[in-house]
Amino acid sequence: MNLVTIERHILEQQKLFPEASGELTDLLTDVAFAAKLVRREVVRAGLVDILGFAGTTNVQGEEVKKLDLFANEKIINAIGQHGRFAVMGSEENDGIIIPPKNETGNYALLFDPLDGSSNIDVNVSVGTIFSIYKLKGDDPGKASISDCLQRGSEQVAAGYVIYGSSVVMVYTTGNGVHGFTYDPTIGEFLLSHENIVTPKTGKYYSINEGSYAQFNEGTKKYLDYIKEEDPATGRPYSTRYIGSLVADFHRNLLTGGVFVYPPTTTHTNGKLRLMYEANPLAFICEQAGGRATDGRNRILDLQPTALHQRTPLYIGSEDDVIVAEEFEQGVR
């Protein structure tokens, strides 16, 4: 068997672009290393007293889990020390992070250190989501928040790591989507899902129906529609909702389906983070042949105005997302 490590695969991808400097290769290798550190603690979290709440809240006003803090710290330390990123942004930090050795880095990193962490105490899959941008200026020493507040279409790489029954890292650099499964016996991510293509339609829908009373009429009509019996359109769909975005997205990416987090009466602008969740997953989804919008506009075209900006999210198989959008827009 020809085993391909993530480092080898990234290098081979680099060869497709002769003008590439190799910097992005080093950046993705750094992210893979940080993921290994987080994975090591996630799998033994209950044994080292890092389960449960830390007694603080993050910038979102949410209770912070101990493992959130650990993952955030490990990623910042593991990646920041190499000087390849001039600026970073984390869902757990209010403002930008300037690494101590930022004079040589030409990129910005945005990341959610542990998506779905509210599920960690009950052994449900969680994940790390990341996004990489090229700096807008030529001087890394002058990197600022503007380098982070770029449209999703400006991403040069994005990916996620899902910590479940196995640990899988999925990434794109704009040339397809590739997945790697971690082999703990050799300590490497090995190519397991090459050139992922998501189906045009699926059979699953993922939405928190516990918030039904807070949905607008378009979303309510969509839910009624998706449950109706109609073999010609593959309905009814089956509900699959874990409550961990990265886990729900990963399943739908591979099997087909749609994930919907619409605006509600309590979160009129949506709840998911544009920079840390929606943009990177939208980049991956589109590269795999899927679609991602806020119900009206392409996610990757949205101009961010704040690091922790929120957005509705409709993401997954192209045809399924279009149907959900039509209900949101009142076309149906």
Side-chain angles (χ1 to χ4, degrees):
M1 179 182 294
N2 184 23
L3 300 180
V4 179
T5 66
I6 191 168
E7 288 84 2
R8 175 183 163 189
H9 190 270
I10 293 170
L11 286 169
E12 289 178 350
Q13 289 286 301
Q14 180 185 324
K15 294 176 183 177
L16 299 175
F17 304 93
E19 73 281 4
S21 65
E23 286 181 296
L24 191 56
T25 298
D26 292 335
L27 300 179
L28 289 168
T29 301
D30 284 350
V31 172
F33 173 70
K36 292 177 185 179
L37 296 180
V38 176
R39 171 258 167 201
R40 183 182 64 185
E41 301 306 320
V42 167
V43 298
R44 61 193 187 101
L47 303 176
V48 292
D49 193 33
I50 53 176
L51 286 179
F53 290 102
T56 59
T57 58
N58 63 13
V59 66
Q60 318 294 336
E62 302 160 334
E63 288 189 282
V64 178
K65 292 277 187 171
K66 294 179 184 178
L67 199 54
D68 275 340
L69 294 177
F70 176 87
N72 194 47
E73 178 184 317
K74 285 296 180 184
I75 292 172
I76 292 172
N77 291 341
I79 293 177
Q81 66 181 338
H82 295 146
R84 287 191 269 263
F85 286 105
V87 61
M88 298 189 289
S90 167
E91 185 184 298
E92 300 300 330
N93 291 69
D94 190 4
I96 59 173
I97 304 160
I98 301 296
K101 300 178 180 179
N102 75 317
E103 297 86 359
T104 59
N106 293 305
Y107 293 86
L109 173 71
L110 298 175
F111 64 95
D112 179 351
L114 208 63
D115 178 76
S117 59
S118 61
N119 290 313
I120 189 68
D121 287 0
V122 291
N123 205 30
V124 171
S125 297
V126 295
T128 299
I129 307 173
F130 66 90
S131 179
I132 299 175
Y133 294 83
K134 191 83 166 60
L135 295 186
K136 296 167 71 175
D138 298 326
D139 185 354
K142 296 181 180 179
S144 67
I145 192 170
S146 65
D147 293 299
C148 297
L149 297 181
Q150 300 185 56
R151 288 186 176 92
S153 57
E154 299 299 316
Q155 293 173 101
V156 296
Y160 62 86
V161 183
I162 182 169
Y163 312 101
S165 55
S166 60
V167 178
V168 176
M169 181 171 174
V170 175
Y171 86 92
T172 183
T173 56
N175 188 42
V177 179
H178 312 285
F180 302 78
T181 300
Y182 184 74
D183 184 344
T185 64
I186 61 174
E188 293 286 357
F189 281 102
L190 302 177
L191 181 63
S192 55
H193 302 76
E194 189 170 18
N195 292 316
I196 296 172
V197 177
T198 195
K200 294 285 282 186
T201 59
K203 56 184 178 180
Y204 300 124
Y205 72 98
S206 307
I207 187 171
N208 181 10
E209 294 196 61
S211 299
Y212 184 89
Q214 300 176 29
F215 294 154
N216 61 33
E217 287 305 308
T219 303
K220 291 177 180 178
K221 289 179 180 179
Y222 169 69
L223 287 174
D224 294 338
Y225 168 85
I226 209 75
K227 297 173 189 176
E228 291 174 352
E229 188 82 33
D230 183 16
T233 56
R235 292 180 289 150
Y237 277 34
S238 296
T239 306
R240 295 289 187 275
Y241 186 73
I242 299 171
S244 174
L245 170 60
V246 69
D248 280 313
F249 174 80
H250 182 68
R251 179 198 57 249
N252 291 350
L253 180 71
L254 298 180
T255 65
V258 58
F259 177 94
V260 176
Y261 209 119
T264 64
T265 55
T266 54
H267 295 94
T268 56
N269 295 320
K271 188 177 180 182
L272 298 177
R273 290 78 175 176
L274 175 63
M275 306 307 298
Y276 302 114
E277 296 167 319
N279 269 342
L281 296 186
F283 187 24
I284 294 166
C285 190
E286 287 196 5
Q287 282 294 309
R291 183 179 177 91
T293 75
D294 64 359
R296 299 176 183 275
N297 307 290
R298 180 180 179 233
I299 287 292
L300 298 182
D301 287 340
L302 299 178
Q303 176 60 58
T305 57
L307 273 178
H308 299 278
Q309 183 173 330
R310 310 244 187 181
T311 182
L313 182 62
Y314 299 72
I315 190 169
S317 297
E318 183 176 22
D319 291 350
D320 293 333
V321 173
I322 289 173
V323 171
E325 288 173 13
E326 289 175 346
F327 278 97
E328 172 62 23
Q329 296 170 17
V331 177
R332 292 199 184 208

